[in-house]
């Protein structure tokens, strides 16, 4: 690898170094609270300001452009719980990145450069793309493991906090997919077109193919994360439905026992002439008012035993 310099600086310092060093990686961190300056960021850095009008624009969507001897990308990166967008411009000699707030990608690239030996800034740029994909892979795997742990906890017991966490995980998986899919589509289209050019170096073709393969694998990880959240929601719903069925079965048992008793109580509480004139002794009272209810209760319990409702409720 040629002698390289990695600089984390402001705009003025970056432009000064870009005119001196042979191979340069410049990372510019823009403050979200800082007022907008008159000249575009690309112009302040001495780049093609007209063609790079989007460079440094916080609202710029995913982008991949090749213009002769330079290329421009807007790369999504997972940083903490947020998705940041790193703007990158690369030539044979320099790689310039800019982002609003912290993105954490520059430090990852610097760490990777200690183990890799890229021959020029373009290869450093492919290394940056791989590190950006790594943040999505880490977020997807971490979310998948959290979902599986939460699904295991649901079989031990359910509470409203679990459904809240599931909703957050499902939203996070959707955000990852929504950020990565358009980016992979535009980069695949541009890289495939470039690889069809015979003048595209073989080493860069290898880097491009590795990036495309890694992108598909990361997208598959995110889709697995999405499927896991959907499965966890379905499991939660099934478990809650099973608990509700158990409650309904218990209510059915109570109804089988007490509805006949309630009917007898209401029947003998009516002021019929027969009940008031003919039932005069205590024996008749105990026989009809109490004995009949005992018979009905025993009959209800016998029906429940024969239909094995008790066993189903216990199971």
């Amino acid at each position: 690898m040629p002698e390289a310099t990695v600089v984390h600086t402001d705009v003025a310092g970056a432009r000064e170094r870009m005119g001196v060093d042979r191979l340069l990686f410049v990372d510019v961190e823009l403050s979200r609270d800082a007022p907008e300056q008159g000249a575009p960021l690309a112009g302040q850095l001495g780049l093609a300001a007209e063609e790079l009008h989007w460079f440094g624009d916080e609202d710029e969507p995913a982008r991949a452009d090749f213009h002769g001897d330079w290329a421009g990308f807007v790369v999504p990166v997972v940083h903490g719980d947020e998705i940041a967008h790193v703007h990158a411009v690369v030539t044979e000699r320099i790689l310039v990145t800019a982002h609003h707030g912290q993105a954490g990608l520059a430090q990852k690239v610097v760490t990777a450069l200690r183990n890799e030996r890229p021959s020029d800034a373009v290869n450093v740029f492919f290394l940056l793309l791989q590190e950006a994909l790594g943040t999505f892979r880490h977020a997807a795997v971490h979310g998948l493991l959290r979902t599986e742990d939460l699904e295991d906890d649901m079989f031990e017991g359910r509470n409203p906090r679990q459904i809240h966490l599931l909703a957050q995980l499902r939203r996070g998986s959707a955000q990852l997919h929504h950020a990565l899919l358009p980016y992979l589509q535009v980069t695949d289209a541009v890289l495939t077109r470039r690889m069809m050019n015979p003048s595209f170096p073989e080493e860069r073709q290898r880097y491009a193919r590795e990036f495309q393969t890694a992108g598909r694998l990361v997208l598959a990880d995110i889709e697995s994360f999405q499927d896991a959240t959907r499965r966890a929601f379905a499991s939660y719903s099934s478990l809650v439905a099973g608990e509700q069925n158990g409650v309904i079965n218990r209510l059915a048992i109570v109804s089988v026992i007490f509805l006949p008793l309630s009917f007898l109580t209401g029947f003998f509480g009516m002021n019929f002439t027969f009940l008031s004139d003919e039932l005069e002794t205590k024996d008749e009272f105990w026989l009809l008012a109490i004995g009949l209810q005992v018979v009905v209760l025993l009959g209800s319990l016998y029906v429940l035993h024969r239909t094995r409702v008790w066993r189903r409720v216990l199971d």
Side-chain angles (χ1 to χ4, degrees):
M1 175 181 174
E3 183 181 354
T5 302
V6 179
V7 180
H8 184 81
T9 181
D10 57 10
V11 176
R15 180 166 184 170
E16 180 181 353
R17 298 298 298 269
M18 287 166 60
V20 178
D21 295 308
R22 292 180 55 196
L23 178 59
L24 187 67
F25 172 32
V26 180
D27 179 69
V28 182
E29 181 178 327
L30 304 174
S31 175
R32 290 190 174 95
D33 301 329
E36 294 185 1
Q37 302 179 5
L41 178 60
Q44 298 178 49
L45 292 171
L47 302 174
E50 183 176 351
E51 296 176 333
L52 291 172
H53 60 88
W54 51 268
F55 189 71
D57 186 358
E58 189 173 6
D59 298 325
E60 185 66 21
R63 172 186 288 270
D65 294 329
F66 271 95
H67 295 276
D69 57 350
W70 65 270
F73 283 70
V74 176
V75 184
V77 180
V78 180
H79 183 65
D81 295 332
E82 298 181 351
I83 296 178
H85 287 83
V86 175
H87 296 199
V89 176
V90 59
T91 67
E92 295 286 344
R93 190 177 62 85
I94 63 172
L95 170 60
V96 184
T97 61
H99 49 89
H100 290 266
Q102 294 185 357
L105 191 59
Q107 186 59 43
K108 294 179 183 295
V109 174
V110 172
T111 303
L113 284 174
R114 296 169 183 166
N115 301 319
E116 300 286 341
R117 299 184 62 85
S119 58
D120 53 27
V122 176
N123 293 338
V124 177
F125 171 69
F126 278 111
L127 186 62
L128 180 142
L129 296 183
Q130 290 284 2
E131 292 296 331
L133 284 179
T135 63
F136 278 88
R137 179 185 295 108
H138 179 269
V141 172
H142 179 67
L144 178 62
L145 294 177
R146 285 186 61 193
T147 303
E148 291 177 346
D149 291 340
L150 189 59
E151 191 173 9
D152 290 338
D153 292 340
M154 289 188 309
F155 287 95
E156 301 295 332
R158 278 148 303 287
N159 57 71
R161 182 174 176 272
Q162 292 172 338
I163 200 68
H164 177 68
L165 292 175
L166 276 178
Q168 288 183 329
L169 290 170
R170 187 167 184 176
R171 181 174 180 268
S173 67
Q175 288 177 332
L176 292 177
H177 191 268
H178 182 73
L180 186 62
L181 182 59
Y183 165 68
L184 291 181
Q185 288 177 337
V186 295
T187 53
D188 278 349
V190 171
L191 292 177
T192 301
R193 189 165 58 248
R194 291 293 297 173
M195 285 190 293
M196 294 176 63
N197 190 337
S199 63
F200 197 58
E202 180 63 30
E203 183 182 13
R204 294 179 186 175
Q205 290 189 29
R206 179 174 61 84
Y207 277 112
R209 286 192 294 268
E210 290 177 355
F211 168 76
Q212 289 178 320
T213 301
R216 296 187 185 97
L217 293 176
V218 172
L219 189 61
D221 290 337
I222 294 176
E223 291 173 349
S224 298
F225 179 23
Q226 288 182 304
D227 292 338
T229 57
R230 297 190 187 101
R231 183 180 65 248
F233 266 107
S235 299
Y236 189 92
S237 301
S238 299
L239 292 171
V240 170
E243 291 179 347
Q244 291 176 345
N245 289 335
V247 172
I248 293 174
N249 288 336
R250 293 182 181 90
L251 291 175
I253 293 173
V254 172
S255 299
V256 169
I257 294 174
F258 286 98
L259 280 179
L261 300 179
S262 300
F263 170 76
L264 291 175
T265 302
F267 179 80
F268 284 103
M270 298 180 183
N271 291 324
F272 290 118
T273 303
F274 174 78
L275 295 176
S276 60
D277 295 342
E278 299 296 332
L279 300 180
E280 297 178 350
T281 66
K282 293 182 180 180
D283 294 339
E284 293 174 339
F285 168 77
W286 285 106
L287 179 62
L288 294 177
I290 305 301
L292 190 57
Q293 294 193 33
V294 172
V295 171
V296 171
L297 179 60
L298 293 175
S300 300
L301 294 176
Y302 177 76
V303 170
L304 293 174
H305 175 72
R306 293 292 297 177
T307 56
R308 298 183 179 180
V309 175
W310 296 106
R311 182 176 300 176
R312 289 200 295 269
V313 171
L314 291 177
D315 292 341

